[in-house]
Amino acid sequence: EDDAKPKDEL
Amino acid sequence: MNVFRLTGDLSHLAAIIILLLKIWKSRSCAGISGKSQILFAIVFTTRYLDLLTSFISLYNTCMKVIYIGCAYATVYLIYAKFRATYDGNHDSFRVEFLVVPVGGLSVLINHDFSPLEILWTFSIYLESVAILPQLFMISKTGEAETITTHYLFCLGLYRALYLFNWIWRFYFEGFFDMIAIVAGVVQTVLYCDFFYLYVTKGWFSRPYRL
């Protein structure tokens, strides 16, 4: 699964 | 951070501030969907819970705090301070038809079955459709003030710019987040009809009429 975190986007 | 991401964030910020100032200066929230604004407040609240758990950057923290603060300020102006000007009769979109399916979907399709991640996913899905009560209200009344169209334009532009940001990040960083991308495409598509009218009809100075 693609790594989505940590979330730097708003 | 790339140019699309930064301009996207600034466009988002501009949209939020345009709406807040419009309501404040005109002392009226006529033509504004309070339901969409509540949904956006829920979106920011559920997405930015990581403010409490992780620090990413000063920019990130500041923007999140500003977004959340402005979202609640807008809801306060609509439902408390200028409640008398709120046009509830035309704001009749059934938000449960959005929130319930979105809640179910975020439990079913997410990156990780953990509370924070599910809430983040919920916020992404909800944001993609949160503008629908506003668009529904405009289609119902058949008009929108010019400043409201600027708000919608900036809000739609923000997600469109994020799409370019994701293309950029995919090519240059190998990064992609399928949930954000799919929801972002859906969100941008919802604005396409509006973009078309905004540009072709030259509603930069005239009231928007369908």
Side-chain angles (χ1 to χ4, degrees):
Chain A
E1 195 64 19
D2 41 286
D3 53 339
K5 43 185 168 180
K7 324 270 193 222
D8 67 323
E9 289 178 345
L10 301 162
Chain B
M1 181 67 81
N2 57 63
V3 66
F4 299 114
R5 163 73 200 285
L6 182 62
T7 48
D9 285 349
L10 294 178
S11 176
H12 196 185
L13 187 64
I16 292 168
I17 292 184
I18 284 171
L19 183 66
L20 205 51
L21 280 180
K22 170 204 152 40
I23 297 174
W24 185 255
K25 295 272 182 190
S26 67
R27 321 294 288 173
S28 164
C29 57
I32 301 300
S33 166
K35 289 182 177 177
S36 275
Q37 296 310 313
I38 288 179
L39 292 182
F40 283 124
I42 295 171
V43 163
F44 291 139
T45 308
T46 50
R47 186 174 309 168
Y48 299 155
L49 286 172
D50 63 353
L51 275 173
L52 306 171
T53 60
S54 56
F55 177 80
I56 292 152
S57 67
L58 188 61
Y59 171 83
N60 189 281
T61 301
C62 288
M63 292 297 260
K64 285 175 174 173
V65 169
I66 292 170
Y67 285 179
I68 292 178
C70 288
Y72 280 97
T74 305
V75 169
Y76 165 76
L77 291 184
I78 294 172
Y79 285 98
K81 193 161 179 67
F82 302 126
R83 190 188 181 89
T85 62
Y86 170 57
D87 191 6
N89 288 332
H90 285 129
D91 194 11
S92 53
F93 193 93
R94 301 281 296 274
V95 287
E96 59 270 34
F97 292 155
L98 297 180
V99 174
V100 173
V102 157
L105 195 62
S106 57
V107 172
L108 290 174
I109 303 176
N110 52 56
H111 292 309
D112 179 29
F113 199 79
S114 66
L116 265 186
E117 191 64 27
I118 289 172
L119 285 171
W120 177 84
T121 311
F122 172 77
S123 84
I124 293 287
Y125 294 154
L126 185 61
E127 184 189 350
S128 68
V129 292
I131 200 61
L132 285 177
Q134 180 65 62
L135 294 177
F136 178 75
M137 192 172 179
I138 290 175
S139 70
K140 208 173 171 200
T141 60
E143 60 179 50
E145 287 177 48
T146 308
I147 193 79
T148 308
T149 67
H150 296 333
Y151 162 71
L152 284 169
F153 179 76
C154 288
L155 204 56
L157 183 63
Y158 136 69
R159 221 45 175 174
L161 286 165
Y162 255 66
L163 293 184
F164 290 108
N165 160 52
W166 289 323
I167 292 169
W168 177 286
R169 291 192 72 178
F170 179 71
Y171 277 107
F172 294 101
E173 300 168 27
F175 171 91
F176 75 99
D177 181 333
M178 198 46 90
I179 286 177
I181 291 170
V182 172
V185 169
V186 169
Q187 187 171 343
T188 307
V189 164
L190 291 182
Y191 287 87
C192 282
D193 184 43
F194 170 78
F195 282 150
Y196 177 77
L197 292 173
Y198 185 82
V199 173
T200 60
K201 298 289 182 181
W203 278 316
F204 295 95
S205 53
R206 277 176 281 161
Y208 170 98
R209 286 183 200 287
L210 292 173

